[in-house]
Amino acid sequence: RVLFRSHFPSGDVTGERTSPLSSACIAEDIQTRRTSDRIMAALRGVNLFDTRQGRIVQRVAGGFLSSERLITLKETLIRGAAVFASLVALALAAPPAFELKDGDRVVWIGSTHVEREQRYGYWETALLDAFPDKNIIFRNLGWSGDTVWGESRAGFDPPAKGYERLVKLTLELKPTVILVSYGANESFAGKDGLAGFKTQYHKLLDDLKPANARLIVLMSPPPFPVAPTKQHPEPDPRNRNLKDYAEAIQQIADGRNCMYVDLLHAVSVPDFRTLTDNQTHYNEAGYRDTMQSFRVAFGLPSEPRPIPTLEGIRQAVIAKNQLFFYRWRPQNETYLFGFRKHEQGKNAKEIAEFDPLIAKAEEEIDRLKKSKRQFELACGISLQIHLLNLIVLIQSLGDWAKNNQFSSG
């Protein structure tokens, strides 16, 4: 019924007036809306039966046809069964919704906005906050300037080595959920680069198959936060290119039954001067102010807890991210693992000593999440008790006033 009302806001399928569905309710689950769009596209031209008058009304893109004709109940049942079968098939083929389960290991790969997020932790905290009772581990493998070819990870080696490292480390972390966020840097190649981008994106996903991740989420890049000026009143051409690449990512997601998250349209930075460091990359305020829209893009509830109540968890997330960053990207890795390891390679054994520190940091995040949850539940019960007491008090005052009539003056 919600599905049909979202497409017939002025009334139900028989033309009867109903109360309109709030836009907040319709927009609450982006994934459901995408699925409903696919279902309604399949229903265009399908005959809908009016049970009150024994007639059918044909629905077309422009609305209902004014002409109606009588049909038999048998015809209605046959057509209804066919429509129901189509709906079931579409629902089964729909991409999975975003849900994190207890014990999930989430690995996030991407370029600059992914790498910088680990410094501030707002987006990761937003996802953790949506599943407070679950034990979830995040690993951020973002690398500034990276692409689906992994060139930025190559260091002093050929670009192919960077891609090899991207795939190898992702698989070593044994993810159950993989967040893939590429397309921003590749979009500078414009339409000419789309074919190569899609080919390499498919290759990356194929090479990650051995992880057997239960959920792969393909994310579009967030928009470049560039405001129009008198000299350039039109939308920034970089965002026009991003739109092409976002559409390509969505096509890949649909073709492989992956979840697609549209950050290009969900995330916005109204004041790029204060919310970015260089009119392109989000600073702490940028990640903070896009925290809620980031949640909505994943189809999660649009009203998270106030940010101050999450500050302890966010700081623990940042501390964990820093330890993990030192674990997989030590500042002197050329001396530890590269072509100068003959000088200090013996110290490489100390890198593994970060593991227990990271595990302890994860335990702290889990403790803070659960204590916050217990506190909120206790506050909720306490509030309910106070409200009940208030109701009893109001009723008592009403009874007292009824039995003690006062005259004015």
Side-chain angles (χ1 to χ4, degrees), residues 6 42 73 78 179 190 200-201 206 212 229 249 254 284 323 338 387-388 402:
S6 65
L73 180 59
I78 293 174
L179 309 182
Q200 184 62 24
Y201 208 124
D206 288 339
N212 292 319
T229 62
I249 294 170
D254 290 342
E284 180 176 355
L323 289 170
L387 288 175
L388 288 173
K402 187 183 298 183

Side-chain angles (χ1 to χ4, degrees), residues 31-32 34-35 38 90-98 215-216 250 253-260:
Q31 189 64 31
T32 300
R34 285 184 58 233
T35 303
R38 297 172 65 193
L90 282 168
L92 292 175
F98 185 76
L215 177 62
I216 297 180
Q250 183 173 3
D254 290 342
R256 303 180 76 108
N257 200 36
C258 297
M259 181 179 176
Y260 173 69

Side-chain angles (χ1 to χ4, degrees), residues 214-232:
R214 65 170 185 83
L215 177 62
I216 297 180
V217 181
L218 309 188
M219 304 163 60
S220 77
F224 290 111
V226 178
T229 62
K230 291 182 179 180
Q231 292 78 14
H232 302 283

Side-chain angles (χ1 to χ4, degrees), residues 112-113 116 119-120 144 223-227 238 269 271-284 287:
T112 309
H113 69 274
R116 288 172 66 90
R119 184 186 303 176
Y120 306 116
S144 290
F224 290 111
V226 178
R238 294 181 299 173
V269 177
D271 188 354
F272 69 94
R273 294 176 180 84
T274 60
L275 302 182
T276 67
D277 283 338
N278 50 14
Q279 300 184 15
T280 299
H281 300 127
Y282 301 158
N283 55 22
E284 180 176 355
Y287 283 102

Side-chain angles (χ1 to χ4, degrees), residues 143 146-147 149-166 200 338-339:
W143 197 301
D146 201 30
T147 69
W149 286 272
E151 302 120 318
S152 295
R153 304 167 189 264
F156 293 101
D157 295 317
K161 269 291 185 183
Y163 178 79
E164 180 184 318
R165 288 170 183 154
L166 167 61
Q200 184 62 24
F339 66 89

